[in-house]
Amino acid sequence: MQRRHLLQAAAAAVAAPRLALAQGYPNKSIRYIVPVSAGGGSDMIARVVTERWGKALGQTFVVDNQSGGGGVVACQAAARAPADGYTLLQGYVATHGTTPATRKVPYDAVKDFTPIGMIGATPNVLAINATLPARDIKEFIDYVRRNPGRVNYGSAGPGSLTHLTMELFKQETGGFMLHIPYRGIAPAINDVLGGQTQAMFPGLAAALPHLRSGRMRALAVTGKERSPQLKDVPTMEEAGFKGFDAMQWYGTVGPAGLPADIVRRLNETQVSVLKAPDLAEKLAGEAVEPWPMTPEQFGDYMRSDIARWTALAKARKIQLDE
């Protein structure tokens, strides 16, 4: 009996500071690491969300842009931070999906982080040069098969979502297209417009101006539902590609071992912000739809995304550090 009481007292002594921390949380500003330079779409999403999230928590978020290594620098900084809720990371499909699937990274995308919640996602769109004689996916697949070796596709770089999504499409269809990697999405789109490449899978926000101008043609979008901004364009699933729901997503994680009460408070306030109609209007500029989840749902989503891209990279022999 005495030994049991001693063990209970020891456990309570360990738990007490963490409980006190959770009950008084937050009592100072929160550092919010964003793994890209200031000024881009991901940065805009972070600032729009944290401005409102800070008001819900009664504290200020300080956005800390840490670009470098495709998100590796930011991920290491977040993973090494104290697990007290005062350092968070805006992870996204690269840091917790495609990059760990295609390279060796100095962090474990699952074990080194605590999932807090999904922010939102935008689909990728199968887009082709408007001069190609294809009005839908079936016609495009037929065109690729009739022109072996003559169809090239661009991407934002090796191992990017734009690269892996097209490789998934090639795997599903058995068609051959030569991959032309670029340093970023803008030059890749420019060469589709100019006819140097014929197709790609850009994020919807980057593609929309060119789709609306008629210089690129949308054949389908990823995701489980049609995009509100392209209501007449079918999903890949509608076009016969079951489970083809690759998305450019953004979410919040903290270091491993965050106290459950802090995770719950962060998630509940984040979800309340994401459900506000004015936030949806702001995020629409990046074609991002709010996608609130529980921490458990978000954790499951990240694990399945990593597993999906790891399996594809293995099947397509995409290993970028060899």
Side-chain angles (χ1 to χ4, degrees):
M1 285 292 288
Q2 185 177 10
R3 182 173 180 274
R4 187 174 69 183
H5 289 155
L6 286 171
L7 289 172
Q8 289 173 341
V14 171
R18 296 176 72 87
L19 182 60
L21 177 69
Q23 288 175 339
Y25 177 85
N27 57 25
K28 63 180 180 179
S29 61
I30 299 168
R31 178 188 180 204
Y32 194 76
I33 301 174
V34 180
V36 297
S37 301
S42 182
D43 178 61
M44 183 280 284
I45 292 164
R47 292 176 189 277
V48 166
V49 171
T50 57
E51 178 189 4
R52 291 159 173 76
W53 197 2
K55 291 176 182 176
L57 282 167
Q59 284 293 342
T60 302
F61 279 84
V62 178
V63 174
D64 180 6
N65 296 92
Q66 292 198 24
S67 60
V72 169
V73 172
C75 285
Q76 286 184 290
R80 292 168 178 168
D84 56 8
Y86 291 101
T87 299
L88 305 177
L89 170 74
Q90 182 169 284
Y92 71 117
V93 66
T95 59
H96 289 74
T98 58
T99 297
T102 56
R103 316 179 154 82
K104 292 177 182 176
V105 292
Y107 64 89
D108 188 306
V110 174
K111 294 179 182 178
D112 290 345
F113 300 93
T114 300
I116 291 168
M118 180 73 84
I119 292 172
T122 185
N124 285 57
V125 54
L126 177 54
I128 62 173
N129 182 288
T131 64
L132 258 63
R135 296 285 168 180
D136 56 33
I137 285 190
K138 183 179 182 303
E139 291 182 1
F140 178 61
I141 294 170
D142 289 343
Y143 179 83
V144 172
R145 289 173 176 167
R146 290 196 314 269
N147 294 275
R150 294 177 59 189
V151 180
N152 303 326
Y153 80 89
S155 80
S160 65
L161 183 64
T162 53
H163 175 202
L164 297 187
T165 305
M166 188 64 87
E167 287 298 314
L168 179 59
F169 180 71
K170 286 168 61 179
Q171 180 177 262
E172 295 277 327
T173 61
F176 174 78
M177 289 180 278
L178 181 65
H179 175 215
I180 310 295
Y182 294 80
R183 291 186 177 182
I185 194 71
I189 286 179
N190 285 340
D191 273 8
V192 175
L193 299 176
Q196 286 82 8
T197 57
Q198 289 71 48
M200 67 179 300
F201 255 113
L204 181 55
L208 268 176
H210 311 292
L211 297 173
R212 288 170 175 165
S213 73
R215 298 181 67 194
M216 289 172 68
R217 181 179 301 130
L219 302 183
V221 295
T222 60
K224 296 181 179 178
E225 297 179 359
R226 293 193 181 196
S227 167
Q229 304 199 49
L230 290 177
K231 293 180 180 179
D232 296 331
V233 177
T235 64
M236 292 293 294
E237 188 138 343
E238 287 176 305
F241 295 85
K242 186 173 177 60
F244 202 114
D245 59 350
M247 302 288 280
Q248 174 80 34
W249 57 263
Y250 306 87
T252 305
V253 297
L258 273 184
D261 285 356
I262 288 179
V263 173
R264 188 178 307 112
R265 177 148 171 71
L266 285 168
N267 178 263
E268 288 174 353
T269 49
Q270 185 188 65
V271 167
S272 70
V273 166
L274 294 176
K275 289 183 175 180
D278 72 312
L279 184 77
E281 292 175 14
K282 287 282 188 180
L283 296 183
E286 288 298 317
V288 171
E289 291 188 58
W291 206 359
M293 294 183 181
T294 66
E296 294 76 20
Q297 289 170 331
F298 183 41
D300 289 344
Y301 185 93
M302 286 194 294
R303 284 188 289 271
S304 66
D305 215 40
I306 293 168
R308 172 218 302 276
W309 299 124
T310 299
L312 178 75
K314 184 176 181 181
R316 306 298 291 179
K317 296 181 171 55
I318 303 169
Q319 188 60 43
L320 302 177
D321 46 14
E322 289 184 347

